[in-house]
Amino acid sequence: MIDATNSRTIKTACNRDCGDACSIVATVENDRVTKIAGDPDHPITKGFLCHRTSRFLERQYSSDRLTTPLVRIGENFEPASWDSVLNRIAESMMRFRTESGPASIMHYRCGGSMGMMKLVTDYFFERFGPVTIKTGDVCTGAGDAAQQLDFGTVDSHDIFDLLNSRTIILWGKNPYASQVHLLPVLRDAKKNGTRLILIDPVHHQTAQLCDQFVQPRPGGDGALAMGIACSLFETGKADPSAATYCDNLDEFKSLACSKTVEQWAAQADVSPDEVISLANAYSNGPSAIIAGWGMQRRTNGAATVRAIDALAAVSGNLGIAGGGVSYCFARKGAFDYSFLKGEAVAPRTIPEPLLGPGILAANDPPIRMVWVTAANPVVMLPESETVKRALETRELTVVVDSFLTDTAQCADIVLPTTTMLEEDDLLGAYGHHWLAEMQPVVAPPEQVKTDYEIVQALAPLVGLDDEFSDDVETWKRRMLKPGDDRGASLDDIRRGPVRSPAGPSVMFANRKFPTETGRANLTRTINTTPSSITVDRPLLLTSLSTAAVQGSQWLNGAQDDHLPATVHPDSAAGFIADDVVTLESEHGQLTVRLKLDTNQRRDIVLVPKGGWLNKGRCANTLIKAQTTDAGDCAVYYDTPVRILTVV
Ligand SMILES: Nc1nc2c(c(=O)[nH]1)N[C@H]1C(S)=C(S)[C@@H](COP(=O)(O)OP(=O)(O)OC[C@H]3O[C@@H](n4cnc5c(=O)[nH]c(N)nc54)[C@H](O)[C@@H]3O)O[C@H]1N2
Ligand SMILES: Nc1nc2c(c(=O)[nH]1)N[C@H]1C(S)=C(S)[C@@H](COP(=O)(O)OP(=O)(O)OC[C@H]3O[C@@H](n4cnc5c(=O)[nH]c(N)nc54)[C@H](O)[C@@H]3O)O[C@H]1N2
Ligand SMILES: [Mo]
């Protein structure tokens, strides 16, 4: 649409790491984006954008954006031409491959963009190598592994199926920060009379939306789920037909009944009455659990999700409208990306949370080169200092980003890339089932390339002449092929919002599970490890998403003060609000500004995730690199710390 003032609107979509994958209407005047808004015609976006993305233009037009390739000369970076950097990269890649084998090169990508075209970048390195890649997932790995074991797949009920629930349990989730487009659905459900319950060790805004707020100890959810199951069995409210679709039912029942409700409640640090009221609400008609991601970023994260899955199974809430344990939506379910083989062909993998120590320890061959794209691992992965050292000590580290992040600062070569308003891509969502197309709303600065354009330019220099000559449109059509006769082709998506035909309305509707036996696989063990806090370090560091920022992508000026750290006043005896103090773990120290909140538990300290290392705000300097019990997720929230006076 173009009007007399030369203003036009273009639709695209948000590729940021978030469940919502919003449809965006951008206003462009004289080749400049002047406004972005949520698409009013999209059933999920509903005409509004979140706090952080509604301010995206500040990032788009930030003077800090990278506009030319940079090469390290000693301590500094100098601008360089694409030709010179690509030739140097190509020469190194060929040499490392010949001398040490392709495993000596590592490609690492994380959540900078959810776009499907990023898989084609992965594919480039697979075709060149295959090279060393990560395994697992710091974001959702433990829960994914748990649901894969329990149900044989990971996907969710349609988001609007929540309107069929009598009770919705938000089990560790803060949609006000992490997924605001879930809120209208929750509000509609509430208007229908659905009971909303939040189970979260942290008090946050979502507690106000809910009818009930239960605040267990961090990591106490497994015990809590067992307590609820125990109550259901004791009161005869468990599903009498569960044996027809569950394996290990007897073992699970014995486990749940091996302690009393009071004992499970004590382990979870809630009252027995709370367990009983949760059991009553959960068995009162169809009940949905929305499982958040926080609880599985713990030592026993997979065991926790498995306990919740089993509870849902024995309660009779699986396979029915209004039920389910919705954890992640299979965002790639509509696409054919079988060209990428990933771990199946990789010569070596490093568990993502162990990236820093893993690169340093890799031997036979050592890792000589790392290519980082759509990721800021120095800030976002545990043991920031180790990640930094690992990247700084390679023979060649290449980082592709739009900003000079802590990670980019470790590079030998930094390649400037497009923002989401300049991207051409496809999206699925991990918080609902709709698909979207991204298209460039404006052209990028002259020297800025998409990840795909970068590998396209590199391909002929490393002998992959033909493989990456296809344009983005061809890749889009290829990946959407399965939708061609199911109303989900590229042309369909261009006409308006399309729901993935692969997305179920109700999961396991016939109570058939894609497991080996076709039945739900109930857990037979529960790991109720006590909290890792000690007398010396009595607070668990809890570094969470905040509404104002996506990951580590802060706006200018947002990191000028010390990192805020919120505790219950009783946990900060001798200090007052706004004191500047030190948080100390076994692994490091961080200077923070104290905030006091009587609604918080006395055993946690809350900080925003994503603070930059070079601003002294990075929580991951305090956190040891370790993996969860399954799925190679990162143990982000099990680090005990104490508050010290700054010396
Ligand atoms: N504004 C904003 N939105 C984001 C992001 C962002 O950085 N900023 N990040 C995106 C990303 S990467 C992701 S993965 C998603 C999800 O990002 P997450 O931050 O994982 O989102 P939630 O699942 O809403 O929140 C996690 C919740 O788990 C709770 N929790 C922590 N430990 C436990 C526990 O032991 N038990 C229980 N019951 N709860 C616990 C926390 O208190 C928190 O409320 O959000 C995305 N959305
Ligand atoms: N302490 C602590 N740490 C955490 C978490 C936590 O809760 N606590 N959460 C974890 C979670 S859930 C996740 S998912 C990870 C996220 O970790 P990351 O994905 O590494 O985090 P982001 O800050 O989103 O960094 C992405 C980078 O990609 C860049 N980028 C954006 N778009 C593109 C693109 O198209 N191409 C390229 N090349 N770059 C692009 C951005 O500028 C940004 O610098 O962090 C984890 N880290
Ligand atoms: Mo994430």
Side-chain angles (χ1 to χ4, degrees), residues 242-370:
T244 61
Y245 58 90
C246 295
D247 285 330
N248 315 326
L249 181 61
D250 292 343
E251 287 104 320
F252 178 73
K253 186 173 176 186
S254 313
L255 188 64
C257 299
S258 65
K259 292 192 196 332
T260 62
V261 165
E262 288 72 19
Q263 286 170 325
W264 288 121
Q267 282 205 355
D269 197 18
V270 300
S271 73
D273 283 350
E274 287 180 300
V275 177
I276 290 164
S277 81
L278 287 171
N280 289 341
Y282 190 51
S283 55
N284 177 31
S287 297
I289 291 173
I290 302 180
W293 294 278
M295 63 186 161
Q296 50 93 55
R297 296 186 193 126
R298 294 191 181 280
T299 320
N300 57 359
T304 299
V305 175
R306 293 206 66 194
I308 291 171
D309 287 348
L311 164 65
V314 301
S315 74
N317 277 307
L318 294 187
I320 60 168
V325 186
S326 290
Y327 170 64
C328 274
F329 289 71
R331 69 182 174 89
K332 293 186 241 167
F335 303 100
D336 177 5
Y337 57 102
S338 56
F339 55 88
L340 187 69
K341 304 286 183 270
E343 284 177 38
V345 296
R348 171 168 59 197
T349 57
I350 295 179
E352 188 175 15
L354 308 183
L355 187 83
I359 290 175
L360 290 171
N363 224 320
D364 197 23
I367 291 177
R368 300 178 66 180
M369 168 179 170
V370 182

Side-chain angles (χ1 to χ4, degrees), residues 44-106:
I44 306 290
T45 308
K46 287 196 165 81
F48 73 99
L49 293 177
C50 67
H51 182 84
R52 64 199 188 287
T53 297
S54 49
R55 292 184 64 182
F56 190 78
L57 292 184
E58 289 174 48
R59 208 169 148 75
Q60 175 75 13
Y61 294 114
S62 163
S63 56
D64 290 344
R65 259 196 82 180
L66 299 174
T67 51
T68 169
L70 299 174
V71 274
R72 171 174 301 286
I73 314 276
E75 292 293 290
N76 302 313
F77 286 110
E78 303 260 329
S81 73
W82 276 102
D83 272 354
S84 68
V85 290
L86 290 176
N87 281 320
R88 181 169 150 205
I89 293 169
E91 182 278 321
S92 304
M93 285 174 69
M94 304 288 272
R95 183 161 47 85
F96 295 149
R97 186 174 65 179
T98 308
E99 291 172 358
S100 312
S104 65
I105 298 170
M106 175 160 198

Side-chain angles (χ1 to χ4, degrees), residues 12-35:
T12 187
C14 179
N15 66 359
R16 305 180 95 183
D17 190 343
C18 167
D20 290 348
C22 284
S23 177
I24 292 178
V25 182
T27 307
V28 180
E29 293 171 62
N30 301 322
D31 297 329
R32 196 175 166 94
V33 190
T34 52
K35 187 179 161 205

Side-chain angles (χ1 to χ4, degrees), residues 15 17 59 108 110-113 118 137-140 297 372-377 379-381 400-403 405 417-420 423 451 543-545 550-553 609-610 612 619-620 623 636-637:
N15 66 359
D17 190 343
R59 208 169 148 75
Y108 174 70
C110 193
S113 157
K118 302 301 166 189
D137 189 78
V138 291
C139 177
T140 58
R297 296 186 193 126
V372 179
T373 194
N376 188 3
V379 167
M380 300 313 273
L381 297 187
V400 187
D401 206 305
S402 314
F403 291 87
T405 62
T417 197
T418 40
T419 66
M420 73 170 165
E423 276 274 358
D451 283 287
S543 46
L544 298 175
S545 299
Q550 173 70 50
S552 62
Q553 303 168 43
K609 76 174 185 188
W612 283 32
N620 283 322
I623 297 172
Y636 280 119
Y637 312 140

